[in-house]
Amino acid sequence: MLDKFITPVIKPMLNAVVAVLHKRGVTPDQLTMLGFLIGMLALPLIALKFWYAALAAIAVNRVFDGLDGALARYAKQSSSAGGYLDITLDFLFYAAIPLGFILANPEQNAIAGAILLATFIGTGSSFLAFAIAAEKFNLDKPQFKYKSFYYLNGLTEGTETIAIFVAFCLWPQHFSVLASIFATACAVTVFTRIHGGYHTLKQLEADIHKS
């Protein structure tokens, strides 16, 4: 929900950095992989209850996630392969954070964490499945033209997800409550995406048959 407001603010801040990276021969895919590996360090750190170290790994991951796309656009190296790598590793990273909290305290966090992971599957699959159909119909990307695929909006997007990850690390004792609340918001996102996506595609198909 907040991505369309946050992204235009962050993008200009990255320009100076990506110019230096480009001069040094760094590629977008290298940033994607390095950011993923750093982000995945949060899993064992959370499991071992090093909350602030995990938070630092999450923050670095998100910085790299912004830099790889900005560098790809700056260097005119945007590609479907790069977009595929980026979104796939993003979803693996997202899943790793609740898993870390489950491992840190299975008795207290397992149920809420499992429910959150289930809703993550719903938000991810509804997001990517519509992107495939959007490519077929060549739908325009009005709010995220720089993305390599159609970016379907929802109540819980990247900004909200990272915000809740920060909250998890700051108040780990309240993980089960926070995860349950966010899982509910994710469930709303799943419903609205499936409902809106289904009817959008039905209308597009109907329009094609009429023409």
Side-chain angles (χ1 to χ4, degrees):
M1 182 175 65
L2 297 177
D3 283 9
K4 61 185 177 182
F5 303 109
I6 298 296
T7 301
V9 176
I10 295 175
K11 282 175 62 180
M13 301 179 185
L14 304 176
N15 292 338
V17 178
V18 299
V20 174
L21 292 172
H22 182 58
K23 288 180 180 179
R24 294 182 178 273
V26 178
T27 69
D29 289 350
Q30 288 173 341
L31 288 180
T32 300
M33 286 301 305
L34 181 57
F36 171 71
L37 294 174
I38 293 172
M40 289 302 289
L41 291 176
L43 172 55
L45 289 171
I46 292 169
L48 295 171
K49 301 184 180 181
F50 297 127
W51 313 122
Y52 295 119
L55 181 56
I58 292 170
V60 172
N61 170 273
R62 291 298 87 194
V63 171
F64 274 73
D65 186 62
L67 285 172
D68 59 4
L71 178 59
R73 292 186 293 275
Y74 179 87
K76 295 180 172 56
Q77 296 176 356
S78 296
S79 68
S80 295
Y84 169 77
L85 181 67
D86 181 60
I87 193 63
T88 302
L89 297 185
D90 273 354
F91 278 113
L92 289 173
F93 163 73
Y94 290 155
I97 305 306
L99 178 58
F101 281 93
I102 292 172
L103 295 175
N105 192 336
E107 183 175 344
Q108 179 177 318
N109 296 341
I111 294 178
I115 293 172
L116 181 58
L117 284 171
T119 59
F120 275 4
I121 293 173
T123 56
S125 59
S126 59
F127 175 87
L128 295 175
F130 189 84
I132 294 171
E135 185 73 18
K136 174 184 175 182
F137 287 104
N138 197 29
L139 292 183
D140 190 23
K141 299 175 283 187
Q143 295 173 335
F144 300 95
K145 292 182 181 296
Y146 56 90
K147 294 289 186 179
S148 56
F149 50 86
Y150 192 95
Y151 200 89
L152 186 62
N153 291 334
L155 179 61
T156 55
E157 298 173 352
T159 301
E160 292 81 9
T161 303
I162 299 308
I164 199 66
F165 286 174
V166 171
F168 289 164
C169 292
L170 293 178
W171 302 288
Q173 69 275 22
H174 299 304
F175 171 81
S176 59
V177 173
L178 294 170
S180 298
I181 293 171
F182 196 67
T184 301
C186 287
V188 173
T189 298
V190 174
F191 174 79
T192 55
R193 280 180 174 168
I194 292 175
H195 182 271
Y198 174 81
H199 287 286
T200 296
L201 295 175
K202 287 286 287 186
Q203 185 60 53
L204 288 169
E205 290 172 339
D207 291 344
I208 290 174
H209 291 151
K210 288 179 182 177
S211 59

